[in-house]
Amino acid sequence: MFVDSLSSFIAADTSLSGIDGDAGDLIIRGISVEEIASSFSFTDLVHHFLQGVLIGLPAYADMKPAFGQARQAAFAVVGAIDDDLLTLPLTDALAGLLSRVPRGTPTETALNLIALPSVVVPALLRRRQGLMPLAPNPDADHATDILRMVSGAMPDPVQVAAFNTYLVTVCDHGLNASTFACRVVASTGAGAVAAVTAGLCALKGPLHGGAPGPVLDMLDAIGTPEEAAGWINATLARGERLMGFGHRVYRVRDPRANSLRHAVQRLAACGLIDNQRLALAEAVERAALDALRQHKPDRPLATNVEFYTALLLDALGFPRDAFTCVFAMGRVVGWIGHIGEQEAAHTLIRPQSRYIGPVPS
Ligand code: ACO
């Protein structure tokens, strides 16, 4: 039987995360994404997610120092950033640097891989501006350290909380395209570095992790709340998609969008986001949901995680072409977990294709 884009095909058993697309629920190793978003630090999350998956993972109390060391180890890679690399799209530059990750035991390599995007992306952003990269502080909280390495200043605690919420909220999401790519490569025995690189390359596309930059482009193009409905209807009439809406699995609002919306609202309450931008985004969301209901009455299309990601990362000062790499800072935790599960399964993922071309006469 031909399975269109594998949407209903179960390709793996996992104990890492589960999605109920009709109810709008996401469970991360037994805990709802709402609870993860509101009460887990990034290093708590790494421990929760990878215990039992990575052999020799540090104990809970040792996780923060171990992860601080991993950030320090990853900083060695920054020396490989040259002028040619700075001309590449950021995702491609990050993919090139992943191969330089310091290696040790499988668990040390895995933690270094998790830390690498968080250290290398701030360094790339600073080098692009002609600034020196800043070294990580191994004693700092992970989200705080990333924001400091980007801006050079200590971030506001509300910004740190919002960024931490983002990182833990996007850590894993079933067999999304990038995670599947990781599992396929891991199933060949190619190792975690190759598998994470494959995941990053899959994340890059606008139908997956490349959507939030275009969400901001859309807000810029719309300009004012009054223009929202007209712009959206014209876009749909041209047969184009609205970035930040729709999902392969969810038939209701993506629960991660709610967690990120709350984080954005907390930034707004503290004057840490442009209120005009937020008002525009809320008007665009309302107009888009109305228009999509009329455009596709039989296909529920709701707000996805990328819509509020765009507002959040913009408010935190990340340039829009860095959003996919920032997504990778969180999602790499999920990739490492799935790579571990796949390697333990010792099964090659090798589906078949159906030949529909000409046959020899
Ligand atoms: N805007 C307008 N129409 C849409 C949208 C959208 N955002 N999403 C789906 N549709 C339409 C499709 O054009 C299609 O119409 P058709 O039947 O006339 O061809 C119908 O709804 C069904 O769409 P599918 O392609 O079956 O939906 P699918 O599950 O394959 O797509 C996807 C999911 C790729 C996320 C899609 O909704 C989309 O392109 N959204 C915009 C990009 C985006 O926000 N990506 C981030 C996703 S979240 C993440 O990956 C982290």
Side-chain angles (χ1 to χ4, degrees), residues 91-92 95 196-205 335:
T91 323
D92 297 344
V196 166
T197 306
L200 178 68
C201 293
L203 189 72
K204 182 181 176 187
W335 293 339

Side-chain angles (χ1 to χ4, degrees), residues 139-220:
D139 300 325
D141 155 77
H142 186 64
T144 308
D145 213 24
I146 297 171
L147 293 178
R148 180 194 58 81
M149 285 189 282
V150 172
S151 72
M154 281 306 282
D156 186 293
V158 179
Q159 293 174 312
V160 171
F163 189 45
N164 184 75
T165 294
Y166 172 73
L167 292 174
V168 299
T169 297
V170 302
C171 72
D172 194 41
H173 201 236
L175 210 52
N176 58 87
S178 57
T179 300
F180 186 50
C182 287
R183 287 192 84 124
V184 170
V185 173
S187 83
T188 71
V193 179
V196 166
T197 306
L200 178 68
C201 293
L203 189 72
K204 182 181 176 187
L207 299 189
H208 188 14
V215 167
L216 289 188
D217 297 340
M218 173 176 75
L219 295 183
D220 287 348

Side-chain angles (χ1 to χ4, degrees), residues 98-273:
L98 273 171
S99 63
R100 305 289 194 112
V101 69
R103 299 166 201 229
T105 65
T107 294
E108 284 165 354
T109 305
L111 292 182
N112 292 346
L113 277 168
I114 294 174
L116 191 136
S118 299
V119 173
V120 157
V121 174
L124 285 164
L125 293 176
R126 288 182 72 83
R127 282 287 310 272
R128 269 198 335 194
Q129 295 173 277
L131 299 169
M132 285 298 286
L134 293 173
N137 171 2
D139 300 325
D141 155 77
H142 186 64
T144 308
D145 213 24
I146 297 171
L147 293 178
R148 180 194 58 81
M149 285 189 282
V150 172
S151 72
M154 281 306 282
D156 186 293
V158 179
Q159 293 174 312
V160 171
F163 189 45
N164 184 75
T165 294
Y166 172 73
L167 292 174
V168 299
T169 297
V170 302
C171 72
D172 194 41
H173 201 236
L175 210 52
N176 58 87
S178 57
T179 300
F180 186 50
C182 287
R183 287 192 84 124
V184 170
V185 173
S187 83
T188 71
V193 179
V196 166
T197 306
L200 178 68
C201 293
L203 189 72
K204 182 181 176 187
L207 299 189
H208 188 14
V215 167
L216 289 188
D217 297 340
M218 173 176 75
L219 295 183
D220 287 348
I222 293 174
T224 63
E226 297 70 37
E227 301 294 324
W231 190 96
I232 285 166
N233 285 322
T235 302
L236 292 177
R238 286 195 302 274
E240 293 172 23
R241 293 183 178 205
L242 302 177
M243 291 294 135
F245 297 90
H247 198 274
R248 173 57 62 85
V249 182
Y250 292 115
R251 291 297 172 265
V252 292
R253 192 180 165 86
D254 182 335
R256 301 168 299 170
N258 285 337
S259 298
L260 298 187
R261 183 167 196 236
H262 292 147
V264 164
Q265 285 168 338
R266 283 193 293 276
L267 287 173
C270 298
L272 293 167
I273 191 167

